[in-house]
Amino acid sequence: MAQYSRFPQTGILASFCAALMACSPPPATTESQAEPTSADAIGFLDEAERQLTAISEEAARIGWVNETYINFDTDWLVANISGRYTELGVEYAQKAVAFDGVDVPPDARRKLELLKLGLTLPAPDKPGAAQELAEITTRLQSTYGVGKIEFEGRTVPQAETEVLMRQLRDPVKLEEIWTEWHDYAKVMKADYVRMVEIANEGARELGFRDVGALWRAGYDMPPDAFATEVDRLWSQVKPLYDDLHCYVRGELNERYGDAVVPLDQPIRADLLGNMWAQSWGERYEDVKPSSADTSLDLNKLLVDKGYDPVQMVKTGEAFFSSLGFAPLPETFWERSQIERPEGREVMCHASAWDLDARDDLRIKMCAVVGAEDFRTVHHELGHNYYQRAYQDLPPLFRGGANDGFHEAVGDTVMLSITPEYLRQIGLVDTVPDASQDVGLLLQQALDGVAFLPFGLLIDKWRWQVFSGELTPETYNSGWWALRTQYQGVRPPSERAADAFDPGAKYHIPANTPYMRYFLARILQYQFYEAACRLAGWEGPLHRCSFYGSQEVGARLNAMLELGQSKPWQDALEAFTGQREMDASAILAYYEPLSAWLKEQNAGKTCGW
């Protein structure tokens, strides 16, 4: 999964994180002052937005330099700015609270609410707290980025561990790599514990029970209602996931035997082609139907056609151009990090950047030619086109309708990477017969469906951590309880009670809320179904490509250009005509696969 960036220019307060020494936050109201008025609120918001505009570019550029050149000095720069950003963000959020009872226009009210919700990790309003929090969060992210393990007599950087997990099939070697990387994560635990303490104190000062409640409040509904909503969405898709899990476990059992893959237990997490068992697509060749068409191996097609990483990105740009979007600026190609540079430490985790809210759009990747990064390119560019669509809005409205929207746009385009699309761009000459679609759908589901419980449980774990339901002593056991409950996976061997396996996943030390990715998977199919309807597609949903549809582009842009100026329900309606997130499009997309899985699982004991 992608992250926009450490300073993405897509959230409300992300822009605060530049050098703030010249910034003077508005004075707090004292008892001797008059009650705040609507005019005071408008003046406060005008000042806040001027500051946002003035400071955002420097913050983004420092963040970019740090992630593309990780060293002591760039870490120091980020920690310094991040500390000032947090301090200012807390002051603005607390000032916004003072206007809770003031009658202001709807746009102003929304901006005030967004200010209160804009801090991912708020620090308490006391000397040194923001700086300590900034130093911890910077250290956590950099510790992850420079992580290495020893394997077969050589030092392997974090990014390569992911490649090895995709490529290897020997369960002994997979267990070794998995264990080494998860053991490395333990060095981050003490920092994480302290970070939770500081941020929870800050959240309580803003009127929230804890940081988890603060995060859940950012979805245009009460925090508890949002928790109920995501459970409802999961209940829609869980039967499909359970059928997929049962089938995959059976196929892996045939390959490895009962000793490695018992049929009455969760699947070993290291055997699914991904460090975190969040995406199982790399195991397709091991579990595919005997009748599957092998002519659409996208990895092979890209290599055979001589693609390089830059050409993959240009192909992604061409998709958006076909919908009527303007080409990316020339500076995108000059300034993006598309391939891993030599001779320095970088953050390879893919992200999309808008550095100046004008035209300095970039992506940061360490792309290699293959299906995974080909899809990732389309995903990341979705962020860039979204960023550009709302760049003329006031700074407080420059963001996705909710964070799931921002992730879902590129994911929707990824669904349009169908056999028809591959024909349209010249990667194949003919489209396979529809009788082979079960294999294609299984390949898709190993990513699109297998991810869903993982996307849900990351933040469920953090909600329990922030609420105190899990303590540092139970961080790891709580983590595996959730992974077993939702994913049906287990570690390859017993984990120590003081381990910090959650830290082995980038988004935990990077403190990136993860529910956006679960919502994005729901929304991408909902968006895709709407796009195919607009494009006039009449065949099976999973066969649709809306490449070249100007009508889809126009309706998509109508949603994107709203940014977060309106509740997400309004943005959803602008594109799909619906006002509720709904997972039924996933079920429609995978209907042929669902029927086939039930046939394959007949007589098996499923579940764990």
Side-chain angles (χ1 to χ4, degrees):
M1 291 298 100
Q3 181 200 18
Y4 317 67
S5 73
R6 187 178 301 182
F7 301 132
Q9 309 305 301
T10 54
I12 323 145
L13 293 175
S15 302
F16 276 126
C17 48
L20 304 179
M21 294 182 67
C23 299
S24 300
T29 301
T30 67
E31 291 183 6
S32 62
Q33 293 175 313
E35 289 297 316
T37 66
S38 178
D40 292 333
I42 300 301
F44 161 64
L45 288 169
D46 287 345
E47 173 65 14
E49 294 198 298
R50 280 195 297 271
Q51 300 288 7
L52 286 170
T53 301
I55 70 179
S56 61
E57 184 173 347
E58 184 178 0
R61 296 195 188 284
I62 288 175
W64 175 267
V65 170
N66 177 245
E67 293 206 10
T68 59
Y69 207 121
I70 301 172
N71 61 28
F72 173 85
D73 295 310
T74 61
D75 278 355
W76 184 91
L77 289 169
V78 168
N80 191 44
I81 284 179
S82 182
R84 297 174 190 160
Y85 143 64
T86 302
E87 287 179 344
L88 187 63
V90 168
E91 290 188 51
Y92 273 122
Q94 291 177 339
K95 180 64 176 179
V97 172
F99 297 104
D100 280 353
V102 179
D103 185 19
V104 296
D107 274 4
R109 174 55 56 199
R110 184 164 182 81
K111 289 179 181 180
L112 290 166
E113 292 302 312
L114 290 172
L115 274 174
K116 290 190 292 183
L117 297 169
L119 284 169
T120 300
L121 295 175
D125 185 19
K126 62 183 182 181
Q131 187 61 33
E132 182 185 3
L133 184 60
E135 290 171 358
I136 289 172
T137 55
T138 300
R139 189 162 58 242
L140 282 168
Q141 184 160 336
S142 293
T143 299
Y144 183 97
V146 302
K148 299 176 179 64
I149 68 168
E150 297 300 316
F151 177 67
E152 295 187 333
R154 65 187 183 91
T155 301
V156 178
Q158 182 275 325
E160 189 179 342
T161 66
E162 296 184 38
V163 175
L164 291 172
M165 293 298 292
R166 294 198 294 264
Q167 294 176 344
L168 296 178
R169 293 294 178 266
D170 182 343
V172 175
K173 292 182 178 181
L174 288 170
E175 179 178 354
E176 180 181 352
I177 296 167
W178 187 98
T179 302
E180 288 281 339
W181 178 247
H182 282 73
D183 285 349
Y184 170 78
K186 183 180 175 181
V187 302
M188 295 180 269
K189 184 175 180 179
D191 271 342
Y192 197 85
V193 171
R194 178 60 181 149
M195 180 210 74
V196 170
E197 293 173 350
I198 298 171
N200 265 344
E201 187 177 349
R204 287 191 290 269
E205 286 188 4
L206 295 177
F208 297 93
R209 293 194 306 269
D210 53 59
V211 174
L214 170 67
W215 289 7
R216 295 191 298 277
Y219 292 94
D220 296 304
M221 61 177 65
D224 290 345
F226 177 70
T228 299
E229 175 69 358
V230 297
D231 286 340
R232 179 187 67 81
L233 293 169
W234 169 241
S235 71
Q236 287 185 276
V237 296
K238 184 179 185 298
L240 177 59
Y241 176 81
D242 289 347
D243 286 342
L244 179 67
H245 181 282
C246 187
Y247 171 76
V248 169
R249 183 174 62 185
E251 295 301 299
L252 292 178
N253 172 268
E254 290 191 14
R255 178 184 178 95
Y256 292 117
D258 292 341
V260 176
V261 186
L263 291 175
D264 59 350
Q265 294 184 26
I267 304 171
R268 266 178 47 175
D270 58 323
L271 299 179
L272 290 162
N274 174 272
M275 181 66 80
W276 311 281
Q278 71 180 60
S279 172
W280 307 348
E282 295 297 330
R283 296 310 304 248
Y284 173 70
E285 290 298 318
D286 303 305
V287 303
K288 68 182 181 183
S290 58
S291 61
D293 189 337
T294 59
S295 65
L296 282 183
D297 180 345
L298 186 51
N299 289 308
K300 185 174 186 300
L301 289 171
L302 291 166
V303 172
D304 289 349
K305 291 291 185 178
Y307 268 61
D308 60 25
V310 172
Q311 188 176 354
M312 292 199 302
V313 180
K314 287 188 176 292
T315 301
E317 178 193 36
F319 193 107
F320 286 91
S321 295
S322 81
L323 303 182
F325 291 92
L328 293 165
E330 189 59 34
T331 53
F332 174 91
W333 305 102
E334 297 169 356
R335 300 170 184 172
S336 288
Q337 176 190 294
I338 295 174
E339 300 179 71
R340 185 185 183 101
E342 295 293 331
R344 66 179 192 261
E345 297 283 2
V346 301
M347 181 64 69
C348 279
H349 190 85
S351 53
W353 296 64
D354 174 11
L355 280 84
D356 62 1
R358 293 187 298 275
D359 56 9
D360 196 348
L361 302 168
R362 308 180 192 180
I363 60 171
K364 177 187 60 62
M365 297 180 62
C366 299
V368 296
V369 175
E372 181 169 346
D373 281 349
F374 185 74
R375 295 187 178 96
T376 297
V377 159
H378 288 73
H379 170 92
E380 295 301 337
L381 293 181
H383 289 308
N384 286 143
Y385 284 96
Y386 206 160
Q387 290 160 341
R388 186 162 65 178
Y390 57 62
Q391 66 181 10
D392 292 332
L393 291 175
L396 287 170
F397 288 155
R398 292 176 193 157
N402 68 40
D403 51 12
F405 275 64
H406 229 298
E407 297 297 331
V409 172
D411 285 348
T412 301
V413 174
M414 285 168 56
L415 285 179
S416 202
I417 301 176
T418 61
E420 176 60 23
Y421 171 59
L422 300 181
R423 184 196 66 77
Q424 289 171 307
I425 64 174
L427 276 174
V428 297
D429 296 324
T430 58
V431 175
D433 184 81
S435 64
Q436 308 300 318
D437 281 358
V438 164
L440 174 67
L441 284 169
L442 177 61
Q443 192 169 29
Q444 291 275 81
L446 292 172
D447 289 324
V449 176
F451 173 78
L452 287 165
F454 187 78
L456 186 68
L457 70 86
I458 292 282
D459 278 357
K460 279 186 172 286
W461 178 81
R462 284 192 284 207
W463 295 350
Q464 292 178 5
V465 167
F466 289 129
S467 73
E469 182 178 346
L470 293 177
T471 65
E473 293 74 26
T474 58
Y475 276 3
N476 223 54
S477 59
W479 171 256
W480 284 107
L482 287 168
R483 295 201 66 185
T484 300
Q485 176 186 349
Y486 285 97
Q487 281 187 286
V489 302
R490 60 183 174 89
S493 58
E494 187 174 350
R495 303 297 294 154
D498 64 346
F500 187 52
D501 293 344
K505 174 61 179 168
Y506 170 80
H507 299 75
I508 298 294
N511 293 294
T512 304
Y514 211 76
M515 196 58 67
R516 63 185 62 176
Y517 302 115
F518 174 75
L519 297 180
R521 285 299 165 97
I522 303 297
L523 288 166
Q524 76 173 115
Y525 289 90
Q526 195 169 357
F527 289 171
Y528 177 73
E529 186 176 50
C532 293
R533 185 172 61 248
L534 288 168
W537 183 260
E538 296 182 353
L541 181 58
H542 65 272
R543 280 271 176 159
C544 164
S545 173
F546 54 85
Y547 177 81
S549 173
Q550 300 277 314
E551 184 175 357
V552 171
R555 284 284 289 274
L556 177 60
N557 191 63
M559 178 178 74
L560 303 185
E561 66 185 5
L562 288 176
Q564 55 185 4
S565 64
K566 304 290 183 184
W568 63 260
Q569 292 89 341
D570 293 351
L572 181 64
E573 187 175 27
F575 184 40
T576 70
Q578 300 166 293
R579 294 188 60 82
E580 183 180 68
M581 290 183 284
D582 182 16
S584 63
I586 297 179
L587 305 181
Y589 185 94
Y590 289 108
E591 184 176 4
L593 175 66
S594 179
W596 182 83
L597 287 173
K598 291 184 185 303
E599 292 176 1
Q600 303 303 306
N601 293 336
K604 294 182 180 178
T605 300
C606 296
W608 54 89

